[in-house]
């Protein structure tokens, strides 16, 4: 089969096995080139197959030399349909980790369920040293509650007032875009509660508690979850909206975990990360326009980072660094310092005001955004022959 990108809006229904493997290889190489990090030895990454979770697993493995267990929800290939990109990323990670002499086990299934937690903990008890790092990097639209079975669906909506703005509609394959108006009604109370149930701290706490209760966490473990803060342009749809409420719950959970486990030297952290193109972030209205303006400004300033550069800096500078951490008044680790730098934000604000169809390509990195989006699915790489026939859709290695 020859695999080409099949795109509808911000969804790509195909992914390229060798392209995904090359992405993971590149992340591992970038990490190795930065040198080793004295950090974790045994790590669990929940949400390991893509975006910030994958980058965390790569840095834990290829930077710290840790054995890793990962959990994610991905689709295997079918006879005539490639797997999801995350499935290929996991297969490539497991392969490269083993080549490097690292233990690596990946579980595919619903991280919210009791069943997957059981399987993961059984594996950790049987085959791994107690974990000293638990990364929680889930981004999910839906959660079936593990006790009640109730299904919660998260929504990305403003609170209180309707929100009207412009966003970017992309033609990913051409690398072009146009500005389109969007209008969102405020969330209902039930929708807000559901979003907190899916994207808040409850499941993070369940992972930590169960791992601690069953003896698979080291006494001085670290656990980290990720948040986004953004600015006043993204505020109505992010921090001031339903997702922001869920992230406040994550901050609360972090404080509670520290109270509960801090005595033995363990610590829970929430890191505010920068904007990057992932499957989760492109689903947020307004984000494509804000991100593509931001990327153009940050690239010009020389401060732009992709997932792997950002997570390397997180591990090397903040998580396992020797200097005092960059912590805000809510005790969050601030990794978004380059994005939030006043000069960057001022330039983004000005461009946001003056952007129109004519100057879009000049003020925003539409092509870069589209390229990053394609790359998530293993497309648009120079080192992959996209016209070549693939004989085995389940392999990330060319026979
Ligand atoms: P992503 O879409 O790239 O990855 C999400 C991961 O969650 C994947 O591994 C997916 O398989 C997994 N997943 C989803 N539902 C699951 C389930 N039920 N069971 C098991 N695994 C499941 O997302 P991302 O953008 O890397 O987001 C990760 C975290 O980082 C989120 O908390 C997000 O809010 C945060 N964050 C993202 C950005 C950004 O710009 N992308 C910025 C700051 C913070």
């Amino acid at each position: 089969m020859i695999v080409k990108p099949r795109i509808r809006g911000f969804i790509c229904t195909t992914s390229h096995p060798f392209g995904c493997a090359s992405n993971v290889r590149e992340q591992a190489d970038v990490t190795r080139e930065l040198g080793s990090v004295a950090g974790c030895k045994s790590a669990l990454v929940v949400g390991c197959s893509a975006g910030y979770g994958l980058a965390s697993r790569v840095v834990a493995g290829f930077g710290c030399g840790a054995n890793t267990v990962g959990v994610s929800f991905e689709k295997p290939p079918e006879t005539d349909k490639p797997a999801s990109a995350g499935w290929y990323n996991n297969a490539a990670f497991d392969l490269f980790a083993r080549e490097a002499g690292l233990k690596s086990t990946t579980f595919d299934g619903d991280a919210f369920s009791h069943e997957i937690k059981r399987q993961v903990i059984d594996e950790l008890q049987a085959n791994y040293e107690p974990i000293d790092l638990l990364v929680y990097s889930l981004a999910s639209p839906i959660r079936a509650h593990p006790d009640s079975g109730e299904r919660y669906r998260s929504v990305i909506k403003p609170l209180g007032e309707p929100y009207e703005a412009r966003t970017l509609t992309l033609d990913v394959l051409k690398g072009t875009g146009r500005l389109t108006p969007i209008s969102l009604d405020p969330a209902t109370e039930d929708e807000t509660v559901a979003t907190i149930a899916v994207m808040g701290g409850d499941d993070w706490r369940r992972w930590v508690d169960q791992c601690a209760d069953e003896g698979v966490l080291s006494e001085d473990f670290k656990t980290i979850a990720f948040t986004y803060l953004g600015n006043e342009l993204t505020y109505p749809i992010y921090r001031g909206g339903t997702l922001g409420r869920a992230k406040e719950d994550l901050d609360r959970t972090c404080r509670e975990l520290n109270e509960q486990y801090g005595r033995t030297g363990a610590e829970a952290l929430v890191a505010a990360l920068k904007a990057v193109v992932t499957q989760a972030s492109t689903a947020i209205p307004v984000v494509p326009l804000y991100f593509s303006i931001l990327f153009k400004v940050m690239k010009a300033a020389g401060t732009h980072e992709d997932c792997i550069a950002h997570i390397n800096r997180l591990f090397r500078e903040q998580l396992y660094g020797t200097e005092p951490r960059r912590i805000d008044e809510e005790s969050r680790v601030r990794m978004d310092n380059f994005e939030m730098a006043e000069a960057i934000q001022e330039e983004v604000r000005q461009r946001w005001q003056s952007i129109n169809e004519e100057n879009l390509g000049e003020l925003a990195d539409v092509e870069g955004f589209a390229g990053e989006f394609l790359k998530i699915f293993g497309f648009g790489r120079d080192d992959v022959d996209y016209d070549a026939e693939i004989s085995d859709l389940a392999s990330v290695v060319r026979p």
Side-chain angles (χ1 to χ4, degrees):
M1 184 180 178
I2 294 172
V3 182
K4 299 279 178 189
R6 252 192 258 144
I7 292 169
R8 257 184 293 117
F10 282 111
I11 296 172
C12 180
T13 56
T14 51
S15 53
H16 200 282
F18 308 135
C20 290
S22 283
N23 285 340
V24 177
R25 169 83 71 193
E26 186 175 76
Q27 292 202 16
D29 289 346
V30 164
T31 302
R32 280 202 193 96
E33 272 160 30
L34 290 168
S36 57
V37 195
C40 53
K41 293 270 164 286
S42 186
L44 169 62
V45 181
V46 182
C48 66
S49 62
Y52 279 135
L54 173 62
S56 300
R57 194 177 189 192
V58 168
V59 179
F62 298 97
C64 303
N67 296 321
T68 62
V69 172
V71 187
S72 62
F73 211 0
E74 299 294 343
K75 283 203 195 90
E78 293 166 25
T79 326
D80 54 354
K81 193 169 185 271
S84 60
W87 192 91
Y88 288 128
N89 292 339
N90 287 339
F93 181 90
D94 282 337
L95 179 71
F96 302 150
R98 267 181 242 128
E99 280 174 4
L102 302 169
K103 250 196 268 180
S104 170
T105 315
T106 305
F107 290 86
D108 231 327
D110 181 8
F112 296 123
S113 69
H114 288 311
E115 192 192 348
I116 276 288
K117 290 188 177 75
R118 181 72 273 138
Q119 287 176 22
V120 169
I121 291 170
D122 285 348
E123 171 69 9
L124 288 167
Q125 285 173 332
N127 294 316
Y128 284 79
E129 292 292 305
I131 44 178
D132 49 11
L133 177 66
L134 193 166
V135 177
Y136 189 83
S137 186
L138 274 199
S140 175
I142 197 158
R143 176 185 183 199
H145 195 279
D147 299 328
S148 67
E150 190 170 346
R151 286 172 83 78
Y152 295 101
R153 186 171 285 282
S154 73
V155 300
I156 304 168
K157 287 191 176 178
L159 292 173
E161 307 269 311
Y163 177 56
E164 304 212 337
R166 287 178 302 173
T167 192
L168 186 66
T169 303
L170 269 192
D171 184 327
V172 172
L173 297 176
K174 291 195 186 127
T176 57
R178 59 198 165 75
L179 296 171
T180 40
I182 51 158
S183 169
L184 292 165
D185 286 331
T188 63
E189 185 56 28
D190 282 354
E191 287 175 324
T192 308
V193 168
T195 308
I196 295 170
V198 181
M199 288 297 288
D202 181 61
D203 186 58
W204 181 23
R205 185 207 318 272
R206 284 168 184 263
W207 273 102
V208 175
D209 284 348
Q210 197 169 337
C211 285
D213 290 350
E214 303 210 26
V216 297
L217 282 176
S218 70
E219 279 211 327
D220 59 350
F221 72 90
K222 293 184 198 305
T223 183
I224 189 162
F226 303 138
T227 195
Y228 181 68
L229 295 175
N231 63 6
E232 78 278 5
L233 302 174
T234 54
Y235 183 86
I237 194 66
Y238 200 97
R239 200 68 202 168
T242 47
L243 270 179
R245 284 290 166 83
K247 294 298 188 185
E248 281 168 17
D249 188 61
L250 201 69
D251 291 337
R252 215 165 17 246
T253 303
C254 185
R255 286 192 289 275
E256 290 166 5
L257 288 173
N258 277 316
E259 278 162 27
Q260 196 172 337
Y261 296 103
R263 281 183 306 276
T264 56
E267 63 174 348
L269 298 160
V270 167
L273 302 185
K274 87 176 275 282
V276 289
V277 180
T278 64
Q279 275 180 271
S281 67
T282 48
I284 305 173
V286 177
V287 148
L289 182 58
Y290 168 71
F291 279 26
S292 43
I293 297 176
L294 176 76
F295 293 171
K296 186 105 180 190
V297 175
M298 291 185 81
K299 281 178 183 174
T303 56
H304 182 71
E305 294 169 308
D306 60 7
C307 265
I308 193 66
H310 198 58
I311 293 296
N312 263 298
R313 187 161 67 88
L314 170 70
F315 272 58
R316 289 161 195 275
E317 183 195 72
Q318 301 290 313
L319 201 50
Y320 299 116
T322 48
E323 299 293 312
R325 290 200 181 117
R326 196 169 38 252
I327 296 286
D328 67 14
E329 66 293 347
E330 297 287 335
S331 305
R332 291 177 292 238
V333 176
R334 296 302 295 266
M335 287 300 300
D336 57 351
N337 53 323
F338 295 158
E339 175 177 343
M340 290 303 143
E342 191 40 45
I344 298 286
Q345 286 297 317
E346 185 49 38
E347 183 61 32
V348 171
R349 247 175 251 131
Q350 285 185 15
R351 290 183 186 211
W352 182 271
Q353 296 305 335
S354 54
I355 203 158
N356 56 40
E357 292 295 342
E358 283 69 50
N359 61 21
L360 182 60
E362 194 190 314
L363 299 190
D365 186 15
V366 178
E367 210 180 324
F369 188 95
E372 286 288 312
F373 180 77
L374 271 180
K375 200 175 166 192
I376 297 175
F377 304 93
F379 296 111
R381 293 189 59 95
D382 297 337
D383 56 356
V384 175
D385 177 0
Y386 292 104
D387 294 321
E389 190 72 44
I390 300 168
S391 56
D392 180 2
L393 281 175
S395 175
V396 289
V397 187
R398 196 173 278 289

